[in-house]
């Protein structure tokens, strides 16, 4: 299986834009869909992006996802940052035989 | 409205077997296309996928834990049960029961609140 590597933490000011990366260690990032989950402190995770760049209903359009084959990575971009966006974000994809892989998570601080 | 609620022991001893139950509502665990699974998260650490059980009883497990895990379902009670044998302190984590969306990439659209399990003698 491959690894999904995320930065341990990022921080940005309210109103700004932040991008969180998720780099696949082997195999193409484009081979399997990438999801992003948000986990606020003390809560269960919830989906914010599915299938690379799709937003579930109820998730603000400030959240967007993309993949970049040149860097073999997926990215989650949050624009117009709000203090409520402060959370841990996990990327997730699939390995062979439908095995699930999660990234290590990125703690977003909005200060 | 789909809800999932985990229950089970909060403390287990090393080498014991851990059994967790997920009570499901708002859907049937045996409806075509349904998959329910388990994800765990050690304190302050990353999510780890454990496995799924599908509506037809088929199962899929993490290769690293395959030999220790069993996921079953009880259709009349509409619940899913996770059994993990020979637990170790490294198995201490919050265990989440999850509903996998039917269709598409099957992302996780509903999560239980999680149940914290400590492993200690």
């Amino acid at each position: 299986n491959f690894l999904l590597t995320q930065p341990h933490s990022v921080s940005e000011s309210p109103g700004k834009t932040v991008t969180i990366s998720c780099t696949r260690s082997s195999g193409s990032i484009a081979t399997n869909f990438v999801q992003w989950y948000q986990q606020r402190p003390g809560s269960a995770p919830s989906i914010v992006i599915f299938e690379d760049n799709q937003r579930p209903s109820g998730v603000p359009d400030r959240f967007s996802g993309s993949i970049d084959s040149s860097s073999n990575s997926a990215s989650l971009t949050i624009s117009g940052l709000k203090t409520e966006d402060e959370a841990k974000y996990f990327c997730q994809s699939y390995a062979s035989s439908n095995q699930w892989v999660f990234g290590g998570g990125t703690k977003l601080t909005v200060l | 409205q789909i809800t999932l609620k985990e229950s089970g022991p909060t403390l287990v001893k090393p080498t014991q077997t851990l059994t967790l139950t997920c009570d499901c509502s708002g859907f049937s665990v045996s409806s075509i296309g349904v998959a329910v699974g388990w994800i765990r998260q050690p304190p302050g650490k990353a999510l780890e996928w454990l496995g799924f059980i599908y509506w037809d009883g088929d199962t899929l497990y993490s290769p690293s834990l395959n030999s220790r895990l069993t996921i079953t379902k009880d259709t009349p009670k509409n619940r899913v049960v996770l059994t993990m044998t020979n637990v170790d302190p490294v198995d201490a984590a919050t265990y989440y029961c999850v509903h996998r969306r039917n269709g598409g990439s099957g992302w996780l659209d509903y999560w239980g609140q999680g149940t914290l399990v400590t492993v200690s003698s």
Side-chain angles (χ1 to χ4, degrees), chain A residues 29-67:
Chain A
I29 192 71
T31 299
N32 307 98
F33 284 127
V34 175
Q35 276 68 236
W36 290 90
Y37 295 88
Q38 175 194 65
Q39 185 178 33
R40 294 192 173 106
S43 296
S46 63
I47 190 80
V48 290
I49 293 290
F50 68 94
E51 293 175 6
D52 298 341
N53 54 19
Q54 302 299 301
R55 215 174 30 253
S57 60
V59 173
D61 60 5
R62 301 184 296 104
F63 288 80
S64 63
S66 63
I67 62 168

Side-chain angles (χ1 to χ4, degrees), chain A residues 7 9 14-15 19 23 27 34 37 62 66 73 81 84 97 108 111:
Chain A
S9 62
T19 297
T23 302
V34 175
Y37 295 88
R62 301 184 296 104
S66 63
S73 64
L81 275 170
E84 68 203 46
S97 303
L108 169 63
L111 37 64

Side-chain angles (χ1 to χ4, degrees), chain A residues 35 37 39 50-51 94 99, chain B residues 41 49 61 63 105 107-108:
Chain A
Q35 276 68 236
Y37 295 88
Q39 185 178 33
F50 68 94
E51 293 175 6
Y94 310 93
Q99 304 296 317
Chain B
Q41 184 177 34
W49 170 71
Y61 298 116
S105 62
W107 42 278
L108 305 176

Side-chain angles (χ1 to χ4, degrees), chain B residues 5 15 39 47 60 67 73 75-77 98 101 108 119:
Chain B
K5 185 171 174 60
T15 74
I39 307 287
L47 302 170
L60 184 65
S67 62
K73 63 184 177 74
T75 299
K77 294 183 178 178
V98 294
R101 185 176 178 85
L108 305 176
V119 180

Side-chain angles (χ1 to χ4, degrees), chain A residues 4 8 26 36 38 42 45 61 64 70 78 82 97:
Chain A
L4 294 173
H8 181 71
S26 61
W36 290 90
Q38 175 194 65
D61 60 5
S64 63
S70 65
I78 311 171
K82 300 183 176 184
S97 303

